[in-house]
Amino acid sequence: MGDVVARRGSEELGEAEAANRLMRLAKEIARHDKLYHDEDAPEISDAQYDALVRENRELEARFPQLARPDSPSRRLGAQPTTSLAKVTHARPMLSLDNAFSDAEVHEFVARVRRFLNLPADEPVTLTAEPKIDGLSCSLRYERGRLVLGATRGDGTTGEDVTANVRTIGDIPQHILSAPDLIEVRGEVYMSKADFEALNERQGAAGGKIFANPRNAAAGSLRQKDPAVTAARPLRFLAHGWGEVSEPLATTQLLAMERIEALGFPVSGLLRRCDTVEEALAHYRTIERHRADLPFDIDGVVYKVGRLDWQERLGQVGRAPRWGLAHKFPAEQAETTLEAIDIQVGRTGKLTPVGRLKPVGVGGVIVANVTLHNRDEIARLGLRVGDRVRIQRAGDVIPQVVENLTRDEPRPAYVFPDHCPECGSEAVNEEGEVDVRCTGGLICPAQRFERLRHFVSRGALDIEGLGEKSIAEFIELGWLSSPADIFRLRSHRAELLGREGWKEKSVDNLLGAIEAKREPEGPRFLFGLGIRHVGIVTAKDLLKWFGAIEELRRAALSAGGEAELSSVQGVGPVVAEALVDFFHEPHNQQALDDLLSEVSPQAFVSEAKQTEWTGKTIVFTGSLETMSRDEAKAQAERLGARAAGSVSARTDLVVAGPGAGSKLKKAEELGIRVIGEEEWARIVAEA
DNA sequence: GAGCCTCGAGTTCC
DNA sequence: CTCGAGGCTC
């Protein structure tokens, strides 16, 4: 990193120094642009980059005569965006739950048994194979021809890297005797030896040095120019599949053998394990060979062998119930805690962030670490200046594991009792761990974070309206509530006069905003930022109420909390949060204002529309061929809700042997009651 | 009433 | 990804 980065404050510079400084800034910024856009390997954070750009701009403002022809300010905004086309996966690319101990692996199998309601003597066969540290990729073949290669992305939407995967030798362009349609999934990676050699070549040519094989593989695959990818030694190892036009086999192992026969590399360490003990023994074998393997691995993946069971097990959230990643222990490092800063979130939560003397852990440099809350700091006895041991949890988020200098006499860290952003009192609510700023919308940090949340990817997802732009528009007085976003178009002319905003970027932004005038209902509701209402609860609420207005009516009505509580997943706390939100005059006004600009769509369930859509089903008594969880999952697949107790809102009761009070109540209320067999028939039909 | 599971909220580095 | 908290089940 150039020393330019570390410079602060340009107020004192004379003209000659300023000219010199501008020249170095131009070079440095161009270098970082290249690192970021072309090599996918930024050396500095966005904030540091912005600081350089800002310094350049300020200097040019003070010495206009010194503005250089190659000044970064002339190029900014005209930057080519090296974004690849997005593709939606035909079947989502799931991620696996992680385990770090033998006990968790035992628990995984026990869960599988419980869910499938298996007798104790029924063996659960697993497969076990190394988990390669690369990046997941899906390869789609139609009538034997490779037609699409896509990265995992967020699991639902990835990037189109077809031209790039075609350059990878391990990946066949054509496959014979394959199903009409098959998506082969696996890991794109770089071997350790190839990685070292690549870095050597890169170093000799003055190019970018990659931090680890994973980054090198990611950077190489996500190139705009396939010729660059072709020059990089990428490999591929298949570990699964996505959409297929016909079943591949009856077991995971046979399916992988079939994929191997089609011409894809499959791990030589893939084994069938008939017991948990065998699986754990294979884990230890792989762990022993870890250093000798030609590529980096970060654990072992187990999958339930029988594919019919995999299907029944289904998924929770983004993870299948039939798979588990057993990770190796995380790499740790020691460093110094140089400062503790406080961040204020959209809910007012004060989060302490540790600033570390940068240190390498697991292939990346870590400089920040979340300290979670006041209790965590106390638990670790952290003070500025302490030596700490850190690790990257699950190899991603850094965390402090231990304070190595607890015993040294140093003043204890005092957690602030006022918000560092707005000065309002910060309080620790009864029974809560968190300390929150009481400033509400008076607090600039909370206002800013709420706007950011409103446009964020899970909510309205307005592209191009990032942190920087929001800050800029707030500063200009154009933006203070979400509704203002939809009035930004009235500032088009002024915006065009501002630095960094050329016609194209302005049109892109305003276009992205206009595209969200009719947002999806749940995203809109989630975006409002009501406490305890995330995207899942927002969906559940709208599944029940249909439209925001109906929800508001319920929240404002006399028996509001009770009506809200009939929604699955909504209890007294969430109900109260909703009632509070809709009663608050400022919120009412802001919502009306917002609704004058946008029209949220009524909610349409993702599940297929069936006669069961929106119906409420209660399971009672014992079920013989499936567990209660499985029955509930089936109900949800039909678009119905599985409730816990019988009420007037219940549409169907599935009663097994031993059903008691619920069955009696159903009969009293005249609700249709069926047995398990008939339920199975309904599921089979749908 | 205890324990399990799901969800929300905050966050890291690339 | 982790953590705490809320909701639900037993």
Side-chain angles (χ1 to χ4, degrees):
Chain A
M1 182 187 308
D3 63 334
V4 171
V5 171
R7 286 290 294 264
R8 287 269 186 281
S10 55
E11 295 78 18
E12 315 301 328
L13 298 184
E15 185 165 333
E17 287 162 303
N20 186 22
R21 180 84 186 132
L22 280 168
M23 179 192 72
R24 300 189 57 189
L25 280 167
K27 271 168 63 181
E28 192 72 7
I29 291 172
R31 193 169 74 84
H32 289 302
D33 280 345
K34 189 158 177 295
L35 286 170
Y36 184 90
H37 290 294
D38 301 343
E39 297 174 27
D40 215 9
E43 281 177 3
I44 58 175
S45 71
D46 288 356
Q48 287 169 316
Y49 177 85
D50 292 343
L52 292 182
V53 172
R54 207 177 314 121
E55 187 187 350
N56 187 72
R57 197 163 56 212
E58 284 163 8
L59 271 175
E60 286 182 348
R62 287 195 16 245
F63 303 101
Q65 71 280 15
L66 297 180
R68 303 166 56 85
D70 66 345
S71 165
S73 60
R74 300 195 178 204
R75 289 180 293 108
L76 293 174
Q79 286 294 326
T81 50
T82 56
S83 60
L84 297 154
K86 287 184 178 170
V87 282
T88 301
H89 298 297
R91 297 270 181 283
M93 291 182 78
L94 304 170
S95 53
L96 295 172
D97 270 343
N98 291 323
F100 292 92
S101 67
D102 291 3
E104 288 170 277
V105 180
H106 280 284
E107 175 51 27
F108 161 68
V109 176
R111 260 177 82 164
V112 168
R113 283 183 179 286
R114 271 202 306 277
F115 193 92
L116 296 172
N117 204 11
L118 297 177
D121 55 354
E122 175 94 44
V124 176
T125 296
L126 302 172
T127 60
E129 67 192 303
K131 183 176 191 302
I132 296 194
D133 198 13
L135 67 160
S136 300
C137 198
S138 185
L139 307 167
R140 186 180 176 93
Y141 292 81
E142 289 174 5
R143 285 182 296 281
R145 286 184 41 231
L146 174 62
V147 294
L148 179 69
T151 62
R152 181 174 178 281
D154 64 5
T156 308
T157 311
E159 288 175 318
D160 183 343
V161 288
T162 312
N164 298 336
V165 298
R166 284 189 199 285
T167 70
I168 300 175
D170 284 341
I171 296 176
Q173 305 274 329
H174 299 273
I175 49 180
L176 296 173
S177 57
D180 266 3
L181 168 66
I182 178 171
E183 287 180 355
V184 174
R185 289 178 175 174
E187 211 74 1
V188 169
Y189 67 97
M190 196 176 284
S191 77
K192 295 183 212 168
D194 285 339
F195 162 73
E196 300 292 345
L198 172 67
N199 259 356
E200 213 158 291
R201 283 204 305 279
Q202 292 281 107
K208 140 92 198 150
I209 304 293
F210 293 101
N212 53 50
R214 210 205 84 84
N215 282 3
S220 301
L221 185 65
R222 297 180 60 254
Q223 290 287 330
K224 258 190 126 180
D225 179 3
V228 178
T229 307
R232 301 276 172 80
L234 293 176
R235 311 287 312 260
F236 179 79
L237 206 59
H239 55 53
W241 59 94
E243 192 177 17
V244 281
S245 55
E246 61 192 63
L248 289 176
T250 54
T251 70
Q252 178 75 25
L253 206 61
L254 291 172
M256 292 314 298
E257 280 172 10
R258 178 114 192 256
I259 286 175
E260 190 170 23
L262 291 174
F264 296 90
V266 168
S267 176
L269 288 164
L270 173 63
R271 290 279 181 282
R272 170 186 154 159
C273 304
D274 289 323
T275 63
V276 183
E277 286 70 27
E278 266 180 53
L280 291 172
H282 193 47
Y283 171 88
R284 277 180 261 288
T285 304
I286 291 172
E287 192 177 28
R288 263 200 312 279
H289 291 305
R290 186 178 185 183
D292 317 326
L293 288 173
F295 41 73
D296 281 338
I297 62 174
D298 59 0
V300 173
V301 171
Y302 308 120
K303 291 176 183 169
V304 170
R306 281 178 57 166
L307 298 184
D308 55 336
W309 284 357
Q310 287 191 7
E311 190 165 337
R312 282 173 61 192
L313 286 159
Q315 63 189 76
V316 205
R318 271 197 220 97
R321 289 195 189 87
W322 44 262
L324 185 74
H326 189 178
K327 296 291 199 76
F328 297 134
E331 191 194 326
Q332 301 189 334
E334 290 179 15
T335 184
T336 306
L337 180 64
E338 294 187 324
I340 297 176
D341 290 347
I342 299 287
Q343 287 177 1
V344 183
R346 79 179 153 90
T347 62
K349 183 189 166 186
L350 269 51
T351 305
V353 180
R355 308 295 177 193
L356 305 171
K357 185 168 160 48
V359 62
V361 201
V364 300
I365 307 291
V366 172
N368 302 308
V369 61
T370 175
L371 302 176
H372 299 298
N373 53 50
R374 193 174 62 177
D375 288 5
E376 179 77 357
I377 293 179
R379 188 177 69 78
L380 292 161
L382 289 174
R383 298 147 307 178
V384 172
D386 282 347
R387 288 292 289 174
V388 289
R389 199 164 79 237
I390 64 164
Q391 70 178 19
R392 294 213 300 154
D395 276 345
V396 179
I397 311 279
Q399 60 183 199
V400 175
V401 186
E402 189 188 359
N403 183 352
L404 301 166
T405 49
R406 286 189 84 123
D407 300 331
E408 273 183 37
R410 248 196 286 271
Y413 175 75
V414 181
F415 204 88
D417 54 6
H418 285 83
C419 172
E421 300 287 338
C422 70
S424 301
E425 203 182 351
V427 298
N428 176 217
E429 273 165 45
E430 179 83 21
E432 273 198 8
V433 173
D434 297 335
V435 175
R436 304 196 116 84
C437 160
T438 55
L441 287 172
I442 297 166
C443 178
Q446 287 191 54
R447 246 188 3 241
F448 176 74
E449 293 296 333
R450 285 193 207 186
L451 284 166
R452 221 160 64 104
H453 171 73
F454 185 74
V455 304
S456 69
R457 216 164 70 174
L460 280 243
D461 190 20
I462 298 178
E463 264 181 76
L465 189 53
E467 207 169 319
K468 275 182 283 181
S469 316
I470 294 176
E472 185 176 355
F473 299 153
I474 290 176
E475 180 88 357
L476 289 165
W478 297 349
L479 190 55
S480 67
S481 78
D484 293 334
I485 292 167
F486 294 92
R487 294 190 279 257
L488 282 174
R489 58 183 178 189
S490 65
H491 297 287
R492 186 173 186 280
E494 296 158 85
L495 186 54
L496 272 172
R498 296 186 58 80
E499 197 168 335
W501 291 102
K502 299 262 169 63
E503 191 123 357
K504 192 165 175 205
S505 49
V506 172
D507 287 347
N508 283 346
L509 173 62
L510 294 178
I513 292 171
E514 290 310 308
K516 297 295 156 73
R517 291 259 174 199
E518 291 178 6
E520 292 167 31
R523 287 169 167 271
F524 178 84
L525 177 58
F526 170 54
L528 295 179
I530 302 168
R531 253 303 248 358
H532 303 122
V533 178
I535 189 65
V536 174
T537 306
K539 263 186 204 167
D540 288 343
L541 284 165
L542 291 183
K543 236 185 255 176
W544 192 275
F545 289 104
I548 303 271
E549 284 304 346
E550 271 301 298
L551 171 63
R552 160 145 67 168
R553 180 202 54 73
L556 294 176
S557 71
E561 300 202 13
E563 190 177 352
L564 293 166
S565 297
S566 57
V567 175
Q568 171 199 40
V570 175
V573 176
V574 180
E576 193 190 342
L578 285 160
V579 169
D580 287 353
F581 178 89
F582 285 108
H583 273 96
E584 219 274 311
H586 177 271
N587 288 336
Q588 295 197 12
Q589 197 188 325
L591 181 59
D592 285 333
D593 190 17
L594 189 51
L595 288 174
S596 73
E597 297 288 345
V598 304
S599 315
Q601 299 165 24
F603 182 64
V604 188
S605 170
E606 287 163 359
K608 280 174 274 174
Q609 294 285 319
T610 69
E611 61 173 314
W612 296 104
T613 305
K615 297 288 168 62
T616 301
I617 301 175
V618 174
F619 295 91
T620 179
S622 55
L623 302 172
E624 278 161 359
T625 62
M626 66 188 103
S627 70
R628 197 171 288 250
D629 277 350
E630 184 174 6
K632 287 174 82 171
Q634 288 174 339
E636 276 154 27
R637 255 174 254 153
L638 297 183
R641 301 190 323 109
S645 60
V646 176
S647 74
R649 292 182 187 272
T650 308
D651 297 292
L652 178 72
V653 171
V654 180
S661 62
K662 288 186 200 171
L663 177 59
K664 193 163 157 245
K665 192 163 181 201
E667 283 163 352
E668 281 167 18
L669 293 166
I671 294 163
R672 183 178 165 205
V673 179
I674 62 170
E676 184 174 345
E677 250 170 66
E678 196 175 350
W679 170 249
R681 202 174 43 73
I682 291 172
V683 173
E685 274 170 22

